[in-house]
Structures are given as C-alpha cells and as structure tokens.
Amino acid sequence: MVPCIWYASKIAHPWERAMIGNMGAALRARGVGLSIYTDGGTTDFCLDGVLSWRALTLLERMRLILSSAGALWHLWGKAPRWWGLVRVRSRTVHTSWLPDPAWRGHPSRIFTEQADDGETVVKPTFESRLVHTEESAGVPPDGSRAVYVKLASASAPLREAVAALNSPVVDLGMGRVGASAAKSGCFISGDGPSEALHAAALTMQGLAVVGPDTPYLHSLLGDEGYFSVGEDREEAWKEAISQAISDRGRALAISARHMIKTRYSASESADSLEAMYRSVLEGSV
C-alpha cells in the first residue's frame, strides 16, 4: 500500500473526530504508512501523531503537497480551497456523512443508506476499551443510571418526559463527557447520521440508546439494539426511557455493544478502507 495522507477539515463533533482516529488506528495496525492532518484541534482524535495543519507554515504546506505526488490523500469533511492542488498530483478519496456533499475525490460514505449514487461504503470502528474512573465529567458520582441528552435540541415532549423522570439527567450540551469513561443509563439520540455515530460511541461506553425509528440507528445498533420511539409524544418518550434505565436496558446495551464490536471491529474497518484504496489506486472505480 502506498503512503496515505488524511486531511480532516473542521469536523463538527468530538465523537466524529474520535471515529476518524479509531479508523486511523485500525489502518496503522496493518502497517500502512499513514499521516493525519487536521484543520482543528488534535486531542479528540484519541490517536498519537495527528498533526495540526494550521501549525505548518505556508512553505511547509506547499512542500508537503508538491512532494506527495503518488501518495493517496483521503479527505474527511469539507474540502479546503487548496484541495485542487492535491488532486492534480495524487489520487484522492473523499468521505462525508453530510447530505449532498460536493465530492472532491472518490466518494465514500459511512452509511449504506447514504450511498444512493454508488458511493463506496467504509465501515467505522469505535473505542471498545472502557475506563472506570470517578473523575469523568458528567458521570453521576453515586453511580446511578442517568439519562444523557442534549436538551438544547430536544423537542418539547422529550424535555417534558425527561423532567418528569426521577433519574439524574446529564445535559450533553453543558460540557464534554470523558471519551472512554464507563457509564450507566441511557442516551437519547437524534435521527441523523452524526447522532447515530454518537449513539454507537456511547453504546460502547455502556449506555442503552433511546431514539426515533431511523435507518442510521438500525445500521449501527441493529433492529433490536435500541429502544425505538415511533411518535414524538411525552408518554412514548417516558416509556422508552424508563425501560432503557431498567435492567432490561442494561442487558440490551450489552447486546448492542457486542454487535458493534463484531460488525464494526477495527479489523472490519481496516478491511473496508484497504479495499477502497486498492480500487482507487488500480483505477477500477
């Protein structure tokens, strides 16, 4: 495999950056020469050797672009203005989970449901090692089962349901939760692809998931891997959340975590990336 250079633009959420870092670690474990540059901060990638593009001088950036002819570049997110300089000298791959992106390289998706135009689907992978710590931000100190939710984007019926529960509530809009700290309780997911990635990441940390009936959650967690809410009504949310923070929810979270570890393992993720890269380099896509 030729050297590979990843460029991650301004990725919106920390769990998306962590996913990219996990996929990079899976590829490096295969012995692939991989350099990773990001337009934002480097800590959320949870991977050593991620470099800040902004820290490079203009001369260093140009030298890297011009000297990397023959390498394969993988763009994550929105293309920077200078990306055309890369494309005229190297094969390029572009991964996005946003709707209707302007592709700037061979198009690839994280979800089959978004690959309507024949984009290549690559498998994500998620951190499976849990850290038990009493200092993780946002974790209830008494170890009780909490409801993790982003209240700012919650609907009125969901907010009312959460307020009526006799359980600790962790507002994910009020600060960052430890990336791999073990948790107990449930996570309230939205219906988009990014929210589904967040749900999978938190499932790996021990949470059961409650969310709308969406193909993205089905893809990552399985048809019976989360508590589905068919209607945006207070009673529907209360019933699903009550089950999720019960012993049934704990059992379902264990089952969903096992499925993610099996279907979205580091090995499966690396296989999907290597297969795509071989096709792009051989010109068969």
PDB file of all heavy atoms in Angstrom, residues 179-207:
ATOM      1  N   ALA A 179     -14.119  10.614  27.065  1.00  0.00           N
ATOM      2  CA  ALA A 179     -14.240   9.896  25.804  1.00  0.00           C
ATOM      3  C   ALA A 179     -14.447   8.398  25.981  1.00  0.00           C
ATOM      4  O   ALA A 179     -15.124   7.766  25.184  1.00  0.00           O
ATOM      5  CB  ALA A 179     -12.998  10.148  24.950  1.00  0.00           C
ATOM      6  N   SER A 180     -13.855   7.792  26.986  1.00  0.00           N
ATOM      7  CA  SER A 180     -13.977   6.337  27.112  1.00  0.00           C
ATOM      8  C   SER A 180     -14.376   5.913  28.522  1.00  0.00           C
ATOM      9  O   SER A 180     -14.146   4.780  28.919  1.00  0.00           O
ATOM     10  CB  SER A 180     -12.651   5.675  26.724  1.00  0.00           C
ATOM     11  OG  SER A 180     -11.604   6.138  27.562  1.00  0.00           O
ATOM     12  N   ALA A 181     -14.951   6.833  29.290  1.00  0.00           N
ATOM     13  CA  ALA A 181     -15.337   6.502  30.657  1.00  0.00           C
ATOM     14  C   ALA A 181     -16.609   5.645  30.666  1.00  0.00           C
ATOM     15  O   ALA A 181     -17.554   5.918  29.942  1.00  0.00           O
ATOM     16  CB  ALA A 181     -15.572   7.779  31.462  1.00  0.00           C
ATOM     17  N   ALA A 182     -16.616   4.594  31.484  1.00  0.00           N
ATOM     18  CA  ALA A 182     -17.791   3.730  31.585  1.00  0.00           C
ATOM     19  C   ALA A 182     -18.967   4.504  32.162  1.00  0.00           C
ATOM     20  O   ALA A 182     -18.802   5.302  33.077  1.00  0.00           O
ATOM     21  CB  ALA A 182     -17.463   2.517  32.453  1.00  0.00           C
ATOM     22  N   LYS A 183     -20.155   4.251  31.614  1.00  0.00           N
ATOM     23  CA  LYS A 183     -21.347   4.963  32.044  1.00  0.00           C
ATOM     24  C   LYS A 183     -22.477   3.976  32.264  1.00  0.00           C
ATOM     25  O   LYS A 183     -22.437   2.838  31.788  1.00  0.00           O
ATOM     26  CB  LYS A 183     -21.751   5.994  30.988  1.00  0.00           C
ATOM     27  CG  LYS A 183     -20.671   7.043  30.714  1.00  0.00           C
ATOM     28  CD  LYS A 183     -21.048   7.911  29.542  1.00  0.00           C
ATOM     29  CE  LYS A 183     -19.964   8.929  29.247  1.00  0.00           C
ATOM     30  NZ  LYS A 183     -18.689   8.304  28.874  1.00  0.00           N
ATOM     31  N   SER A 184     -23.507   4.428  32.964  1.00  0.00           N
ATOM     32  CA  SER A 184     -24.673   3.592  33.210  1.00  0.00           C
ATOM     33  C   SER A 184     -25.929   4.433  33.020  1.00  0.00           C
ATOM     34  O   SER A 184     -26.027   5.539  33.549  1.00  0.00           O
ATOM     35  CB  SER A 184     -24.637   3.024  34.635  1.00  0.00           C
ATOM     36  OG  SER A 184     -25.769   2.233  34.898  1.00  0.00           O
ATOM     37  N   GLY A 185     -26.868   3.918  32.237  1.00  0.00           N
ATOM     38  CA  GLY A 185     -28.095   4.643  31.969  1.00  0.00           C
ATOM     39  C   GLY A 185     -28.427   4.594  30.508  1.00  0.00           C
ATOM     40  O   GLY A 185     -28.246   3.562  29.851  1.00  0.00           O
ATOM     41  N   CYS A 186     -28.904   5.706  29.954  1.00  0.00           N
ATOM     42  CA  CYS A 186     -29.288   5.711  28.551  1.00  0.00           C
ATOM     43  C   CYS A 186     -28.936   7.035  27.890  1.00  0.00           C
ATOM     44  O   CYS A 186     -28.783   8.068  28.546  1.00  0.00           O
ATOM     45  CB  CYS A 186     -30.777   5.412  28.392  1.00  0.00           C
ATOM     46  SG  CYS A 186     -31.878   6.767  28.875  1.00  0.00           S
ATOM     47  N   PHE A 187     -28.816   6.972  26.574  1.00  0.00           N
ATOM     48  CA  PHE A 187     -28.536   8.140  25.748  1.00  0.00           C
ATOM     49  C   PHE A 187     -29.729   8.362  24.835  1.00  0.00           C
ATOM     50  O   PHE A 187     -30.233   7.433  24.207  1.00  0.00           O
ATOM     51  CB  PHE A 187     -27.273   7.915  24.915  1.00  0.00           C
ATOM     52  CG  PHE A 187     -27.075   8.934  23.819  1.00  0.00           C
ATOM     53  CD1 PHE A 187     -26.872  10.267  24.116  1.00  0.00           C
ATOM     54  CD2 PHE A 187     -27.096   8.549  22.472  1.00  0.00           C
ATOM     55  CE1 PHE A 187     -26.694  11.206  23.116  1.00  0.00           C
ATOM     56  CE2 PHE A 187     -26.908   9.475  21.461  1.00  0.00           C
ATOM     57  CZ  PHE A 187     -26.704  10.812  21.780  1.00  0.00           C
ATOM     58  N   ILE A 188     -30.177   9.618  24.731  1.00  0.00           N
ATOM     59  CA  ILE A 188     -31.283   9.969  23.850  1.00  0.00           C
ATOM     60  C   ILE A 188     -30.698  10.462  22.532  1.00  0.00           C
ATOM     61  O   ILE A 188     -30.058  11.505  22.483  1.00  0.00           O
ATOM     62  CB  ILE A 188     -32.185  11.066  24.443  1.00  0.00           C
ATOM     63  CG1 ILE A 188     -32.523  10.750  25.902  1.00  0.00           C
ATOM     64  CG2 ILE A 188     -33.437  11.223  23.599  1.00  0.00           C
ATOM     65  CD1 ILE A 188     -33.275   9.464  26.104  1.00  0.00           C
ATOM     66  N   SER A 189     -30.902   9.703  21.474  1.00  0.00           N
ATOM     67  CA  SER A 189     -30.308  10.017  20.179  1.00  0.00           C
ATOM     68  C   SER A 189     -31.273  10.777  19.282  1.00  0.00           C
ATOM     69  O   SER A 189     -32.495  10.629  19.383  1.00  0.00           O
ATOM     70  CB  SER A 189     -29.868   8.723  19.480  1.00  0.00           C
ATOM     71  OG  SER A 189     -29.364   8.987  18.179  1.00  0.00           O
ATOM     72  N   GLY A 190     -30.708  11.558  18.365  1.00  0.00           N
ATOM     73  CA  GLY A 190     -31.486  12.168  17.300  1.00  0.00           C
ATOM     74  C   GLY A 190     -31.595  11.216  16.126  1.00  0.00           C
ATOM     75  O   GLY A 190     -31.223  10.044  16.213  1.00  0.00           O
ATOM     76  N   ASP A 191     -32.071  11.726  14.976  1.00  0.00           N
ATOM     77  CA  ASP A 191     -32.357  10.836  13.855  1.00  0.00           C
ATOM     78  C   ASP A 191     -31.355  10.920  12.711  1.00  0.00           C
ATOM     79  O   ASP A 191     -31.519  10.239  11.699  1.00  0.00           O
ATOM     80  CB  ASP A 191     -33.763  11.102  13.314  1.00  0.00           C
ATOM     81  CG  ASP A 191     -33.927  12.541  12.826  1.00  0.00           C
ATOM     82  OD1 ASP A 191     -32.961  13.323  12.892  1.00  0.00           O
ATOM     83  OD2 ASP A 191     -35.043  12.878  12.384  1.00  0.00           O
ATOM     84  N   GLY A 192     -30.303  11.735  12.834  1.00  0.00           N
ATOM     85  CA  GLY A 192     -29.359  11.898  11.742  1.00  0.00           C
ATOM     86  C   GLY A 192     -28.163  10.966  11.840  1.00  0.00           C
ATOM     87  O   GLY A 192     -27.955  10.285  12.847  1.00  0.00           O
ATOM     88  N   PRO A 193     -27.326  10.922  10.798  1.00  0.00           N
ATOM     89  CA  PRO A 193     -26.150  10.042  10.810  1.00  0.00           C
ATOM     90  C   PRO A 193     -25.138  10.400  11.890  1.00  0.00           C
ATOM     91  O   PRO A 193     -24.554   9.513  12.508  1.00  0.00           O
ATOM     92  CB  PRO A 193     -25.565  10.212   9.401  1.00  0.00           C
ATOM     93  CG  PRO A 193     -26.151  11.479   8.877  1.00  0.00           C
ATOM     94  CD  PRO A 193     -27.486  11.614   9.509  1.00  0.00           C
ATOM     95  N   SER A 194     -24.921  11.679  12.135  1.00  0.00           N
ATOM     96  CA  SER A 194     -23.969  12.067  13.169  1.00  0.00           C
ATOM     97  C   SER A 194     -24.459  11.641  14.545  1.00  0.00           C
ATOM     98  O   SER A 194     -23.683  11.146  15.373  1.00  0.00           O
ATOM     99  CB  SER A 194     -23.744  13.588  13.145  1.00  0.00           C
ATOM    100  OG  SER A 194     -22.855  13.982  14.176  1.00  0.00           O
ATOM    101  N   GLU A 195     -25.773  11.809  14.785  1.00  0.00           N
ATOM    102  CA  GLU A 195     -26.330  11.392  16.073  1.00  0.00           C
ATOM    103  C   GLU A 195     -26.218   9.881  16.257  1.00  0.00           C
ATOM    104  O   GLU A 195     -25.991   9.391  17.366  1.00  0.00           O
ATOM    105  CB  GLU A 195     -27.800  11.823  16.165  1.00  0.00           C
ATOM    106  CG  GLU A 195     -28.009  13.321  16.317  1.00  0.00           C
ATOM    107  CD  GLU A 195     -28.075  14.046  14.984  1.00  0.00           C
ATOM    108  OE1 GLU A 195     -27.774  13.411  13.942  1.00  0.00           O
ATOM    109  OE2 GLU A 195     -28.407  15.232  14.974  1.00  0.00           O
ATOM    110  N   ALA A 196     -26.374   9.127  15.159  1.00  0.00           N
ATOM    111  CA  ALA A 196     -26.234   7.676  15.245  1.00  0.00           C
ATOM    112  C   ALA A 196     -24.799   7.268  15.580  1.00  0.00           C
ATOM    113  O   ALA A 196     -24.570   6.335  16.361  1.00  0.00           O
ATOM    114  CB  ALA A 196     -26.669   7.024  13.934  1.00  0.00           C
ATOM    115  N   LEU A 197     -23.827   7.980  15.030  1.00  0.00           N
ATOM    116  CA  LEU A 197     -22.428   7.710  15.373  1.00  0.00           C
ATOM    117  C   LEU A 197     -22.178   7.997  16.853  1.00  0.00           C
ATOM    118  O   LEU A 197     -21.455   7.257  17.523  1.00  0.00           O
ATOM    119  CB  LEU A 197     -21.503   8.563  14.500  1.00  0.00           C
ATOM    120  CG  LEU A 197     -21.483   8.224  13.008  1.00  0.00           C
ATOM    121  CD1 LEU A 197     -20.680   9.272  12.242  1.00  0.00           C
ATOM    122  CD2 LEU A 197     -20.898   6.835  12.767  1.00  0.00           C
ATOM    123  N   HIS A 198     -22.780   9.070  17.359  1.00  0.00           N
ATOM    124  CA  HIS A 198     -22.659   9.397  18.780  1.00  0.00           C
ATOM    125  C   HIS A 198     -23.290   8.293  19.630  1.00  0.00           C
ATOM    126  O   HIS A 198     -22.736   7.879  20.657  1.00  0.00           O
ATOM    127  CB  HIS A 198     -23.349  10.734  19.049  1.00  0.00           C
ATOM    128  CG  HIS A 198     -22.952  11.371  20.337  1.00  0.00           C
ATOM    129  ND1 HIS A 198     -23.572  12.487  20.853  1.00  0.00           N
ATOM    130  CD2 HIS A 198     -21.995  11.044  21.244  1.00  0.00           C
ATOM    131  CE1 HIS A 198     -23.006  12.823  22.000  1.00  0.00           C
ATOM    132  NE2 HIS A 198     -22.049  11.959  22.276  1.00  0.00           N
ATOM    133  N   ALA A 199     -24.454   7.806  19.177  1.00  0.00           N
ATOM    134  CA  ALA A 199     -25.136   6.733  19.905  1.00  0.00           C
ATOM    135  C   ALA A 199     -24.279   5.478  19.968  1.00  0.00           C
ATOM    136  O   ALA A 199     -24.188   4.819  21.012  1.00  0.00           O
ATOM    137  CB  ALA A 199     -26.476   6.428  19.236  1.00  0.00           C
ATOM    138  N   ALA A 200     -23.629   5.132  18.861  1.00  0.00           N
ATOM    139  CA  ALA A 200     -22.772   3.946  18.849  1.00  0.00           C
ATOM    140  C   ALA A 200     -21.580   4.117  19.778  1.00  0.00           C
ATOM    141  O   ALA A 200     -21.195   3.190  20.510  1.00  0.00           O
ATOM    142  CB  ALA A 200     -22.296   3.661  17.424  1.00  0.00           C
ATOM    143  N   ALA A 201     -21.000   5.321  19.773  1.00  0.00           N
ATOM    144  CA  ALA A 201     -19.852   5.578  20.648  1.00  0.00           C
ATOM    145  C   ALA A 201     -20.245   5.452  22.111  1.00  0.00           C
ATOM    146  O   ALA A 201     -19.494   4.890  22.928  1.00  0.00           O
ATOM    147  CB  ALA A 201     -19.281   6.966  20.366  1.00  0.00           C
ATOM    148  N   LEU A 202     -21.427   5.947  22.475  1.00  0.00           N
ATOM    149  CA  LEU A 202     -21.869   5.879  23.866  1.00  0.00           C
ATOM    150  C   LEU A 202     -22.378   4.487  24.229  1.00  0.00           C
ATOM    151  O   LEU A 202     -22.325   4.090  25.397  1.00  0.00           O
ATOM    152  CB  LEU A 202     -22.937   6.930  24.127  1.00  0.00           C
ATOM    153  CG  LEU A 202     -22.407   8.372  24.141  1.00  0.00           C
ATOM    154  CD1 LEU A 202     -23.535   9.378  24.276  1.00  0.00           C
ATOM    155  CD2 LEU A 202     -21.392   8.569  25.261  1.00  0.00           C
ATOM    156  N   THR A 203     -22.864   3.745  23.248  1.00  0.00           N
ATOM    157  CA  THR A 203     -23.190   2.338  23.499  1.00  0.00           C
ATOM    158  C   THR A 203     -21.945   1.577  23.918  1.00  0.00           C
ATOM    159  O   THR A 203     -21.979   0.739  24.824  1.00  0.00           O
ATOM    160  CB  THR A 203     -23.795   1.691  22.238  1.00  0.00           C
ATOM    161  OG1 THR A 203     -25.042   2.315  21.926  1.00  0.00           O
ATOM    162  CG2 THR A 203     -24.036   0.206  22.446  1.00  0.00           C
ATOM    163  N   MET A 204     -20.826   1.886  23.266  1.00  0.00           N
ATOM    164  CA  MET A 204     -19.568   1.236  23.616  1.00  0.00           C
ATOM    165  C   MET A 204     -19.116   1.597  25.025  1.00  0.00           C
ATOM    166  O   MET A 204     -18.303   0.897  25.628  1.00  0.00           O
ATOM    167  CB  MET A 204     -18.478   1.612  22.614  1.00  0.00           C
ATOM    168  CG  MET A 204     -18.743   1.149  21.187  1.00  0.00           C
ATOM    169  SD  MET A 204     -18.973  -0.632  21.074  1.00  0.00           S
ATOM    170  CE  MET A 204     -17.306  -1.193  21.418  1.00  0.00           C
ATOM    171  N   GLN A 205     -19.645   2.684  25.569  1.00  0.00           N
ATOM    172  CA  GLN A 205     -19.308   3.100  26.926  1.00  0.00           C
ATOM    173  C   GLN A 205     -20.319   2.600  27.957  1.00  0.00           C
ATOM    174  O   GLN A 205     -20.206   2.911  29.135  1.00  0.00           O
ATOM    175  CB  GLN A 205     -19.197   4.630  26.980  1.00  0.00           C
ATOM    176  CG  GLN A 205     -18.062   5.161  26.112  1.00  0.00           C
ATOM    177  CD  GLN A 205     -18.029   6.673  26.065  1.00  0.00           C
ATOM    178  OE1 GLN A 205     -18.295   7.339  27.054  1.00  0.00           O
ATOM    179  NE2 GLN A 205     -17.706   7.229  24.915  1.00  0.00           N
ATOM    180  N   GLY A 206     -21.316   1.834  27.511  1.00  0.00           N
ATOM    181  CA  GLY A 206     -22.212   1.188  28.452  1.00  0.00           C
ATOM    182  C   GLY A 206     -23.642   1.673  28.463  1.00  0.00           C
ATOM    183  O   GLY A 206     -24.458   1.160  29.240  1.00  0.00           O
ATOM    184  N   LEU A 207     -23.990   2.650  27.632  1.00  0.00           N
ATOM    185  CA  LEU A 207     -25.336   3.208  27.668  1.00  0.00           C
ATOM    186  C   LEU A 207     -26.285   2.483  26.715  1.00  0.00           C
ATOM    187  O   LEU A 207     -25.896   2.114  25.600  1.00  0.00           O
ATOM    188  CB  LEU A 207     -25.313   4.691  27.301  1.00  0.00           C
ATOM    189  CG  LEU A 207     -24.572   5.633  28.256  1.00  0.00           C
ATOM    190  CD1 LEU A 207     -24.702   7.070  27.766  1.00  0.00           C
ATOM    191  CD2 LEU A 207     -25.093   5.502  29.679  1.00  0.00           C
TER     192      LEU A 207
END
